[in-house]
Amino acid sequence: MKIGIIGGGIAGLTAAYRLSKSGHNVVVFEKDACLGGQAGTFDICGQPLEKYYHHIFTSDSDIICLIDELGLGAKLKWLESNVGLYYQGKTYKWVDAFDLLRFPGLSLVNRFRLGLTTLQLQRHKNWHDLENLTAQEWIIQHVGRKNYEVIWEPLLRGKFGERADEIGMVWFWGKIYLRFSSRGKSMQKERLGYLMGSYGQVINTLAQKIQESGGKINTGTTVKKIIVEDNQVKGILTDRGEELFNVVIATIPSSSFLSLVAELPKNYREKLQMTTYQATACLVLTLKKSLSPFYWMNISDTSMPFVAVIEHTNLVKSSNYNNKHIIYVSNYLTQDSLLYRMDAAELLEYYLPYLQKINPEFNREWVEDCFLWKDEAAQPIISTNYSQHITEHRTSIDGLYLANTTQIYPEDRGMNYSVRLGNKISELVLDNTGIE
Ligand SMILES: Cc1cc2nc3c(=O)[nH]c(=O)nc-3n(C[C@H](O)[C@H](O)[C@H](O)COP(=O)(O)OP(=O)(O)OC[C@H]3O[C@@H](n4cnc5c(N)ncnc54)[C@H](O)[C@@H]3O)c2cc1C
């Protein structure tokens, strides 16, 4: 069977690996010059590094199994994470219950309320009963407006901007519940998984294995159209020409998929139109000195123009990167926003005074290098009753499948779930075609 896969991110490559391993003739089409999509890497300080900060949790079983299967298990290290919170001009350690109890931004009653409700949510297994509530409604009702405004609202606004009030409680539940389950029963300190040498090795090893099984990978090739005849997929048209396929799997954002295939039925098109995303603009800086002691610093201050600062070299030692310190300044934006349209130099200039608020000693002289990465479909907007909006993987067009991050639920997007999507879609294709 000849299978065309659109998208060389982790979902597309996992599907291609499984299907080529089962003996099928697989061709991957990736529009960028490099594979990896959102999990792609670039070279910095002589090392490959993720364009966007990446770690995994101990509960991310699908990607952990894949890493082992690819022979990379020895490189996966579980490192102690150190979380901070920036609030009203100061940074606070935000790792355990004692940090919350010491936090001066909330009254004692509110601190207890926040702690107890977080514990309650960590034990709340049934997400279905949260589906018709927004995160804002639930949080205000359970922990009060002050706790919402100080702790959660800036983070929801930072991630979803003007759409923050629409975000479903299930998305928020996932952040608390799944994070807790990754700590294990003994509630030990959180450890995050990093593949020493970067997750790019998963991408490269998948690509190598696909090619060893006879599969082809075309980078720098944009798919322009999915060819359909008599409700049956026939092939793919790229900027390099036409190629025939029995099955096509798209692992691209919903809006792109919609523009490639006109023959989708009305209800499927409507669901695709309803799924929207926040874009991301992520500034990566190499610094002479460390900005803060934290790996992950949430910014709980709506006057700051970014949502988090992730100091990668507070998770993975800076000795791996010529003793330089690497920070990601994370931002989620709409595509038409002013900040999203800025280039790396403009964004750096804009951010400098705000980075100085985090560490008053920081100045421009510390910055040795600056990179900017953008993605238009970085974070699906998860509204209330989202389960009703999710499209089927198998479309009503014979041989045409979709597997993208909008179909991950109740969990949120992440490499683990894109690996799971790749595994699932390849099983579905094999089941539906009756070929082992
Ligand atoms: C800022 C940020 C931080 C993140 N942090 C983490 C983290 O810490 N841990 C974690 O597990 N996950 C993290 N993720 C999420 C993770 O990277 C993604 O969930 C995962 O990589 C998505 O993989 P995918 O294959 O589903 O999609 P993508 O990576 O988006 O792949 C889709 C591919 O399709 C290609 N494409 C699109 N249109 C076409 C076309 N017409 N023709 C050909 N090719 C096309 C794109 O170029 C892309 O390569 C993060 C993501 C972002 C944006």
Side-chain angles (χ1 to χ4, degrees), residues 7 9-11 30-31 37-38 53-55 223 251-252 414-415 418:
I10 200 153
E30 168 54 53
K31 72 176 162 67
Q38 291 179 8
Y53 43 92
H54 271 76
H55 57 249
V223 173
T251 65
I252 57 179
M415 291 186 293
S418 287

Side-chain angles (χ1 to χ4, degrees), residues 6-12 29-32 36-39 52-56 60 221-223 251-253 256 260 280 332 375 378 403-405 413-416 418 421:
I6 313 174
I10 200 153
F29 298 92
E30 168 54 53
K31 72 176 162 67
D32 288 347
Q38 291 179 8
Y52 310 102
Y53 43 92
H54 271 76
H55 57 249
I56 59 170
D60 284 345
T221 311
T222 303
V223 173
T251 65
I252 57 179
S256 313
L260 294 186
T280 191
Y332 289 87
D375 191 288
N404 72 21
T405 55
R413 59 107 221 243
M415 291 186 293
N416 184 62
S418 287
L421 277 178

Side-chain angles (χ1 to χ4, degrees), residues 347-396:
L347 208 53
L348 174 61
E349 281 314 313
Y350 192 82
Y351 284 169
L352 277 173
Y354 297 99
L355 291 169
Q356 238 154 11
K357 288 189 177 191
I358 293 173
N359 179 346
E361 285 178 25
F362 168 82
N363 65 60
R364 214 196 178 301
E365 299 299 302
W366 287 23
V367 181
E368 293 203 332
D369 234 332
C370 170
F371 305 84
L372 178 62
W373 302 104
K374 295 182 185 179
D375 191 288
E376 291 178 2
Q379 172 66 55
I381 309 250
I382 308 294
S383 54
T384 52
N385 299 312
Y386 188 77
S387 59
Q388 292 163 28
H389 310 314
I390 302 173
T391 46
E392 298 283 310
H393 292 303
R394 187 184 176 181
T395 71
S396 61

Side-chain angles (χ1 to χ4, degrees), residues 7-222:
I10 200 153
L13 292 177
T14 304
Y17 165 61
R18 299 272 172 238
L19 291 164
S20 59
K21 211 172 152 194
S22 316
H24 296 288
N25 183 355
V26 172
V27 184
V28 177
F29 298 92
E30 168 54 53
K31 72 176 162 67
D32 288 347
C34 297
L35 294 170
Q38 291 179 8
T41 57
F42 68 112
D43 284 337
I44 190 169
C45 307
Q47 282 289 321
L49 178 79
E50 293 71 22
K51 294 173 179 171
Y52 310 102
Y53 43 92
H54 271 76
H55 57 249
I56 59 170
F57 299 109
T58 50
S59 52
D60 284 345
S61 52
D62 298 71
I63 190 163
I64 295 171
C65 285
L66 180 67
I67 287 171
D68 281 338
E69 187 180 333
L70 297 178
L72 298 168
K75 294 187 177 180
L76 182 60
K77 300 291 177 212
W78 293 97
L79 307 162
E80 210 167 274
S81 90
N82 191 1
V83 180
L85 182 78
Y86 174 86
Y87 176 71
Q88 289 193 344
K90 283 193 179 158
T91 54
Y92 299 90
K93 185 158 101 41
W94 201 257
V95 173
D96 53 34
F98 297 110
D99 298 327
L100 171 62
L101 286 176
R102 280 191 289 261
F103 180 61
L106 294 168
S107 68
L108 195 61
V109 173
N110 273 336
R111 278 176 261 166
F112 269 110
R113 222 175 150 193
L114 188 64
L116 284 176
T117 315
T118 309
L119 274 179
Q120 190 192 339
L121 210 50
Q122 286 167 345
R123 289 177 170 78
H124 190 105
K125 286 201 171 97
N126 180 15
W127 55 270
H128 297 274
D129 62 1
L130 303 171
E131 267 235 282
N132 60 354
L133 293 168
T134 64
Q136 184 197 43
E137 281 167 337
W138 191 95
I139 299 169
I140 292 178
Q141 195 184 332
H142 287 80
V143 291
R145 187 168 288 277
K146 181 74 181 166
N147 276 330
Y148 174 70
E149 284 171 359
V150 172
I151 303 295
W152 300 120
E153 188 180 15
L155 300 178
L156 280 164
R157 292 241 170 271
K159 194 137 198 184
F160 296 103
E162 286 172 10
R163 312 271 314 259
D165 302 349
E166 294 169 44
I167 300 308
M169 182 55 200
V170 174
W171 181 85
F172 185 77
W173 164 86
K175 291 283 154 206
I176 307 283
Y177 179 79
L178 298 169
R179 192 98 192 221
F180 168 75
S181 53
S182 95
R183 289 194 182 204
K185 290 200 171 59
S186 54
M187 273 298 282
Q188 68 268 37
K189 261 190 142 181
E190 182 175 63
R191 285 184 180 268
L192 299 175
Y194 188 71
L195 194 68
M196 301 305 287
S198 91
Y199 285 100
Q201 293 162 102
V202 173
I203 303 297
N204 295 341
T205 313
L206 283 172
Q208 184 193 331
K209 295 211 181 269
I210 293 164
Q211 284 162 330
E212 281 168 5
S213 310
K216 274 202 272 169
I217 297 179
N218 299 321
T219 50
T221 311
T222 303

